Amino acid sequence: AEPAGGAAALGAHDAGVRCLAWDASRNVVFSGSWDRTVGCWDPRQAGRAATASVPGKVFALDLAPAAAGGAKLVCGTSDRHVVVFDARRLDAPLQHRESSLKHQTRCLRCFPDGTGFALSSIEGRVAIEYFSDDDQARKYAFKCHRVGKVVYPVNALAFHPVHGTFATGGSDGGVNLWDGANKKRLAALPQFPTSVAALAFNADGSKLAVASSYCFEEGEKDHPKDELYIHSTLPHEVTPKTSSAAPP
């Protein structure tokens, strides 16, 4: 049986759809595709509400909450492009920059306060970026999800909705929690059976959902089954440290 209210296809891209973002303030969906476009879809009307062409396959997409200048849609594509749009109009980008990381983009998530975003790569690094020209001196990048000399992709990022701290998940099966403002690691969760493919906090940040799913980094092989874990966060894992605190 169909769910209450039924279901309907909003539309289609000419190649695979890599990511989606829901704008609750306007009740529209953004989609990023390997056909090198971003689509805006309004479930209340037929067809696309808007389309933007971007310089490469879309690998990551997220919506920054309205701050100075309104809500922004941030798109990470192949060839390390990052394109920032006003979420209300996709006809021309606000910014077009190159990722500060030297390898392919894997995930991108915007700060809860709407002032910037975190971007991860296949080469075990995360960059912290800001939208405003006045904040460019604050941006930085750091290494993570490395075991000895082996470097793993950082597949997933998730920001705590209250504290603004964030979690990273990698193909090493690890999840780390970070205080980006103070550049400190807060905690590391126990190892998961295989690659961490996705992460999400609930609305108050008391739970962290972790998707453990092999990402085929080593091709076709036997691997653990896909599993979803729910971690109850502890205060020390998600609360920012004071700048004078000792490193963990």
Side-chain angles (χ1 to χ4, degrees):
E2 287 189 348
L10 294 178
H13 281 272
D14 293 331
V17 176
R18 176 63 182 86
C19 40
L20 299 170
W22 168 250
D23 185 348
S25 66
R26 296 171 54 223
N27 290 322
V28 296
V29 179
F30 294 99
S31 57
S33 170
W34 282 25
D35 67 4
R36 298 172 178 251
T37 69
V38 173
C40 177
W41 312 87
D42 187 336
R44 298 161 293 187
Q45 68 182 52
R48 293 196 197 196
T51 300
S53 295
V54 292
K57 297 177 179 180
V58 178
F59 288 162
L61 184 76
D62 199 25
L63 195 67
K72 296 178 176 65
L73 183 72
V74 188
C75 178
T77 77
S78 55
D79 299 323
R80 301 170 45 244
H81 296 283
V82 177
V83 187
V84 182
F85 294 94
D86 181 330
R88 298 163 297 185
R89 49 183 301 176
L90 301 183
D91 53 343
L94 298 173
Q95 297 178 14
H96 180 185
R97 59 174 76 177
E98 185 179 84
S99 167
S100 58
L101 303 181
K102 295 180 179 180
H103 294 267
Q104 183 186 100
T105 298
R106 180 54 62 90
C107 188
L108 184 156
R109 289 292 179 266
C110 295
F111 303 167
D113 66 4
T115 60
F117 58 92
L119 180 147
S120 68
S121 77
I122 61 171
E123 193 246 345
R125 291 179 190 263
V126 172
I128 302 298
E129 303 267 1
Y130 294 87
F131 296 125
S132 172
D133 290 341
D134 296 336
D135 289 329
Q136 292 310 300
R138 299 172 60 194
K139 70 180 184 180
Y140 67 94
F142 64 95
K143 301 175 183 177
C144 54
H145 297 280
R146 295 165 180 237
V147 180
K149 295 184 179 180
V150 181
V151 179
Y152 293 90
V154 183
N155 302 316
L157 298 163
F159 277 92
H160 192 279
V162 177
H163 298 304
T165 51
F166 64 96
T168 60
S171 290
D172 58 343
V175 172
N176 294 314
L177 294 113
W178 307 88
D179 176 359
N182 291 306
K183 303 181 182 179
K184 297 179 185 295
R185 188 172 78 166
L186 298 171
L189 300 189
Q191 197 81 0
F192 291 91
T194 186
S195 309
V196 173
L199 295 168
F201 284 101
N202 66 342
D204 65 5
S206 62
K207 301 286 191 296
L208 175 64
V210 180
S212 173
S213 178
Y214 178 56
C215 294
F216 292 87
E217 302 89 343
E218 299 176 3
E220 198 71 56
K221 68 173 189 177
D222 290 338
H223 55 82
K225 64 180 181 179
D226 296 347
E227 293 182 315
L228 181 65
Y229 296 83
I230 306 297
H231 172 72
S232 295
T233 58
L234 300 173
H236 76 273
E237 295 174 335
V238 296
T239 306
K241 291 183 177 293
T242 60
S243 57
S244 60

